[in-house]
Amino acid sequence: MDEEIEIPPFFLCPISLEIMKDPVIVSTGITYDRDSIEKWLFSGKKNSCPVTKQDITDADLTPNHTLRRLIQSWCTLNASYGVERIPTPRSPICKSEIEKLIKDSASSHKNQVMCLKRLPQIVSENPTNKRCLEVAGVPEFLATIISNNGFDSSMSLSDEALSLLYHLESSETVLKNLLNNKKGGNIVKSLTKIMQRGIYESRAYATLLLKNILEVADPMQIMTLKPSVFTEVVQILDDRISHKATKAAMHILVTTCPWGRNRHKAVEAGVISVIIELLLDESFSSDRRGPEMAMVVLDMLCQCAEGRAEFLNHGAAIAVVCKKILRVSQTASDRAVRVLLSVGRFCATPALLQEMLQLGVVEKMFFVLQVSCGSKTKEKAKELLKLHARVWKDSPCLPRNMILAYPS
C-alpha cells in the first residue's frame, strides 16, 4: 500500500491498529476486527473491553456491516494505489442453528451420529464457530454422550465426542461447568474409564482433557478424587502412549498430589517406580519440562513415609535422581536435592549412607555448593552433608580436597 494514502482512523482495529477485515461490535458499543477481539477474549481469557475497560457482558459479537461496506468501498476507490479489496467474510453459524442440531440429535441414534459428523465440519468452516458452539451448550452435550456411551464395547460415539470436546479448547468457565454438571454424568469418572479401556487416541485425549479440567477444579474436588484416577494416570505414564499424554499425566500429578491424601493414593498406584523408569529413558529427558515435573512429584511423594519406602525399593532411584542434579534445570536440581535430603534425613541406615557415598551423592552435593545455584538448593545440600558428616567426612572414598572443604 502506498504510504501517502491516509487511512480513515475508524477503519483501524483498536487492538491490531490494522484495517479491519471483519468488523464486529461488542456489548460496550466499540467495534473491533473479529480476529483480534476473539483472541483478546478467548485466547487471552480477558472479559473487559480494551478501549472502555468495562466488562463485556455478552460474548456475542455483532457484525458491523455498515462499516465493513465502507471499508470495502474505500479499498475499491484506492485500488489504483495498490490497495486490495477486503473480501466479504463468511458469517459464523448462528447459535439457534446449533441448538436445533443438538435438539434433533436426541430423537434417534442416527441423528446423533449425523450431529457428531456435522459439528466438526462447522468448526472447520470458521474458527469463530468454536465460540458459538460453546455458547450453544455443545461441550455439555458432548460430555453427556461421553458419559452415556463411554462404557459400550464399540465406544465410537464416545470417541468422536471426546475428540471434538478436546479440540474445542473450551474456556475455563465451561470446564468448570463440565466438572460441576451432574446432569451430564461425572466427567472425571467418564474420562477415567476411557483412560482405562479406550482406544489409543481416546486414552490420550481423555488424559489431556482431564488435565485441563483438574486445573480449574477447586481444592475440595481435587481432594476427593478416587484412587482409580491415580491408577489410570500411572498406567498412562507406564504405557507411554504419546509424549503429550505422558506430560499431561505428569501435570495431573503435580496438580493433585499436594491436596489431601492424594500423595498416598499416588504412591499406592505405583507411581514412584514408573517415574524412575521414565527418568531412565533418555527420550523422556530430551524435553526438560518432563524431568522437572517428575522431580516435583518425587519431592512431594517423598514427604510421606510410604513414598520414601517406595522410592528406596527401586534400585536405581538414588542414582537417577543424583544424575539429574545440575543437568536439567534449576527447578529439577532443587527438587532432586530435596528428595535426597528427605531420604537422608528419615531413612538413614549405614547401608543407605554407604550407597549414597558410592553413587556420588556426596560429591554432587559439593558441586552444588560450588557452582552458581539457588541459595535454597545450596542450603539443602549443605544440610544433607552436615547431617551425616560423621560417616562421610572421614570416608576413604571421598577425595582429600572435599574432606578439607567439608562444611562444619
Side-chain angles (χ1 to χ4, degrees):
M1 184 187 297
D2 194 317
E3 293 182 2
E4 294 181 4
I5 298 176
E6 185 177 345
I7 303 172
F10 56 93
F11 285 3
L12 303 178
C13 173
I15 297 175
S16 67
L17 301 180
E18 295 180 354
I19 294 178
M20 289 183 275
K21 297 178 180 178
D22 187 6
V24 292
I25 307 169
V26 299
S27 60
T28 60
I30 305 298
T31 297
Y32 299 92
D33 193 34
R34 184 186 292 277
D35 184 57
S36 295
I37 193 61
E38 284 189 340
K39 285 179 180 176
W40 171 272
L41 291 173
F42 302 117
S43 299
K45 296 183 178 178
K46 300 179 179 71
N47 61 358
S48 61
C49 175
V51 172
T52 66
K53 309 303 179 187
Q54 296 174 322
D55 286 345
I56 294 177
T57 55
D58 188 349
D60 285 344
L61 305 175
T62 305
N64 192 332
H65 295 300
T66 302
L67 180 57
R68 191 247 311 154
R69 291 189 189 103
L70 282 172
I71 293 173
Q72 288 178 323
S73 298
W74 180 86
C75 290
T76 302
L77 288 171
N78 290 279
S80 60
Y81 294 97
V83 178
E84 294 183 6
R85 185 180 184 278
I86 294 171
T88 301
R90 184 170 183 173
S91 299
I93 195 167
C94 64
K95 178 183 172 183
S96 58
E97 186 178 340
I98 298 172
E99 288 175 335
K100 183 178 185 304
L101 191 64
I102 293 174
K103 185 178 179 180
D104 291 346
S105 72
S107 62
S108 68
H109 178 79
K110 181 181 177 182
N111 282 353
Q112 199 170 63
V113 172
M114 290 175 62
C115 178
L116 286 177
K117 287 183 177 179
R118 175 67 183 128
L119 288 173
Q121 292 172 354
I122 292 172
V123 173
S124 65
E125 287 169 4
N126 192 328
T128 300
N129 289 341
K130 277 188 180 182
R131 301 282 72 85
C132 192
L133 264 63
E134 186 172 291
V135 173
V138 169
E140 291 79 5
F141 166 70
L142 295 173
T144 301
I145 293 177
I146 293 168
S147 177
N148 293 342
N149 299 278
F151 315 132
D152 293 347
S153 57
S154 66
M155 294 179 66
S156 58
L157 279 178
S158 178
D159 294 333
E160 290 184 41
L162 178 61
S163 174
L164 179 55
L165 182 56
Y166 171 71
H167 286 106
L168 280 180
E169 300 173 330
S170 299
S171 65
E172 183 176 320
T173 301
V174 169
L175 292 175
K176 283 184 177 180
N177 289 341
L178 292 178
L179 193 58
N180 298 319
N181 180 21
K182 300 307 176 186
K183 282 185 180 180
N186 187 320
I187 187 66
V188 173
K189 181 179 178 181
S190 300
L191 294 176
T192 304
K193 286 289 184 182
I194 293 173
M195 288 164 66
Q196 178 186 17
R197 297 190 288 187
I199 60 174
Y200 168 87
E201 280 191 345
S202 292
R203 292 183 70 204
Y205 285 140
T207 307
L208 292 162
L209 192 54
L210 182 61
K211 167 198 160 272
N212 294 342
I213 288 173
L214 292 179
E215 282 180 337
V216 303
D218 62 49
M220 186 56 67
Q221 290 170 319
I222 293 177
M223 283 191 281
T224 54
L225 289 172
K226 301 292 185 184
S228 58
V229 173
F230 295 90
T231 300
E232 297 314 321
V233 167
V234 172
Q235 194 60 55
I236 292 291
L237 287 175
D238 196 27
D239 291 347
R240 308 180 197 185
I241 57 176
S242 76
H243 184 63
K244 287 181 71 174
T246 297
K247 286 182 68 176
M250 198 68 74
H251 205 289
I252 290 170
L253 293 171
V254 171
T255 301
T256 58
C257 282
W259 301 98
R261 290 188 54 80
N262 287 345
R263 284 183 301 182
H264 303 275
K265 296 171 191 174
V267 171
E268 289 169 5
V271 70
I272 289 180
S273 176
V274 172
I275 287 179
I276 298 300
E277 292 298 323
L278 277 171
L279 288 169
L280 289 168
D281 185 347
E282 290 300 324
S283 62
F284 175 73
S285 299
S286 60
D287 174 11
R288 79 173 192 176
R289 186 60 183 146
E292 275 184 354
M293 288 193 290
M295 289 301 173
V296 169
V297 174
L298 287 178
D299 176 31
M300 288 190 286
L301 299 184
C302 284
Q303 291 171 25
C304 65
E306 299 96 320
R308 292 189 292 272
E310 285 299 312
F311 178 81
L312 292 175
N313 276 342
H314 196 294
I318 292 176
V320 74
V321 168
C322 180
K323 183 180 178 182
K324 297 301 177 185
I325 297 174
L326 304 178
R327 288 194 175 192
V328 180
S329 67
Q330 172 58 44
T331 299
S333 295
D334 179 64
R335 294 295 185 145
V337 170
R338 287 167 60 103
V339 169
L340 295 174
L341 178 58
S342 291
V343 297
R345 176 186 288 151
F346 297 108
C347 307
T349 63
L352 176 63
L353 296 180
Q354 190 61 31
E355 181 185 359
M356 293 176 81
L357 184 64
Q358 291 174 346
L359 290 173
V361 171
V362 179
E363 290 186 48
K364 188 59 74 77
M365 294 304 105
F366 270 100
F367 289 140
V368 169
L369 294 177
Q370 293 167 3
V371 301
S372 177
C373 206
S375 58
K376 289 186 178 180
T377 308
K378 289 178 182 286
E379 287 173 14
K380 298 294 182 186
K382 192 173 184 179
E383 185 179 348
L384 179 57
L385 289 172
K386 291 172 71 174
L387 198 60
H388 302 296
R390 293 177 63 182
V391 177
W392 290 338
K393 188 174 181 180
D394 299 323
S395 171
C397 298
L398 208 61
R400 179 167 175 77
N401 65 316
M402 290 188 181
I403 294 174
L404 294 173
Y406 207 97
S408 55

